[in-house]
Amino acid sequence: MDVATNRVLTVPNAISAARLVMVPVFAVLLARRQDVAALVVLAVSGASDWLDGVLARRLGQVSRLGQLLDPVADRLFIVVTIIALAWRDVVPVWLVVVLLARDAALGVVQLVVMRGGWAPLPVHLAGKTGTLMLLYAFPLLLLAQILGSAPQVVTTTVAGLGWAAALWGVGLYWTSGVFYLVQARRLLGSTA
């Protein structure tokens, strides 16, 4: 297991910071209907989420800042992306509600845990995988809309892959949410 350091200037942290900068860029591109450019930003962001973790471990640059910055960048990108895609009618509103409800609930849990003097709950594999699936799904769903005039088999296949990833992502996202709630309950119950 990698030990987190107090280093700030690391390659993985720079990648996570760049992903944070890409959030408003994506939103503006999508609002201006520059869908291909928005798709590229979205795909690069998803790839950078994977890359920063790999580099942190391989370069021995796991840091406390990175452990905070990476999930914040993920959450922010997912929230902005899902709202922007719903605004553009790429995804239905129920998907926004389901994802935001989980993030809101866990945000409250994290605040309670941290207020009790504990460190934030560690990221769970189901949460990481759910996030990965969502970051894979969103570009596919946007691509399916961009390909609207392509042969139906192409758009249906791309949309089908996107929805399969989205539904798996939602399931894993909520599964990890249950794990976090159980962890928090145990932690808070240990002091009662």
Side-chain angles (χ1 to χ4, degrees):
M1 179 158 199
D2 296 306
V3 176
T5 67
N6 289 324
R7 293 178 63 192
V8 172
L9 299 176
T10 67
V11 172
N13 288 352
I15 293 170
S16 292
R19 193 162 68 252
L20 280 171
V21 171
M22 286 191 278
V23 171
V25 171
F26 167 77
V28 168
L29 289 170
L30 202 65
R32 292 184 177 175
R33 298 196 177 271
Q34 296 174 330
D35 292 354
V36 173
L39 176 65
V40 169
V41 169
L42 193 55
V44 167
S45 174
S48 73
D49 180 44
W50 169 80
L51 183 63
D52 67 2
V54 169
L55 289 177
R57 289 182 293 280
R58 288 207 178 139
L59 299 175
Q61 295 184 352
V62 175
S63 69
R64 288 181 183 84
L65 176 62
Q67 289 174 332
L68 176 68
L69 197 58
D70 182 56
V72 167
D74 290 347
R75 294 292 75 73
L76 187 59
F77 222 110
I78 286 174
V79 167
V80 169
T81 299
I82 197 68
I83 291 171
L85 291 178
W87 177 71
R88 286 285 307 280
D89 293 322
V90 175
V91 299
V93 173
W94 68 261
L95 187 60
V96 177
V97 172
V98 166
L99 293 175
L100 293 183
R102 184 266 192 188
D103 279 349
L106 289 186
V108 170
V109 169
Q110 286 284 24
L111 288 174
V112 169
V113 167
M114 289 172 30
R115 185 174 175 128
W118 293 282
L121 297 171
V123 176
H124 193 276
L125 178 60
K128 286 182 182 182
T129 307
T131 298
L132 176 68
M133 294 303 288
L134 291 171
L135 293 176
Y136 177 73
F138 297 151
L140 286 172
L141 294 172
L142 182 57
L143 179 60
Q145 186 175 46
I146 292 170
L147 296 173
S149 61
Q152 186 174 2
V153 68
V154 173
T155 57
T156 302
T157 300
V158 172
L161 291 171
W163 276 109
L167 294 175
W168 271 102
V170 167
L172 289 168
Y173 213 56
W174 271 95
T175 299
S176 70
V178 170
F179 290 149
Y180 293 132
L181 291 174
V182 169
Q183 283 179 315
R185 185 170 183 219
R186 285 183 188 149
L187 188 63
L188 296 171
S190 71
T191 61

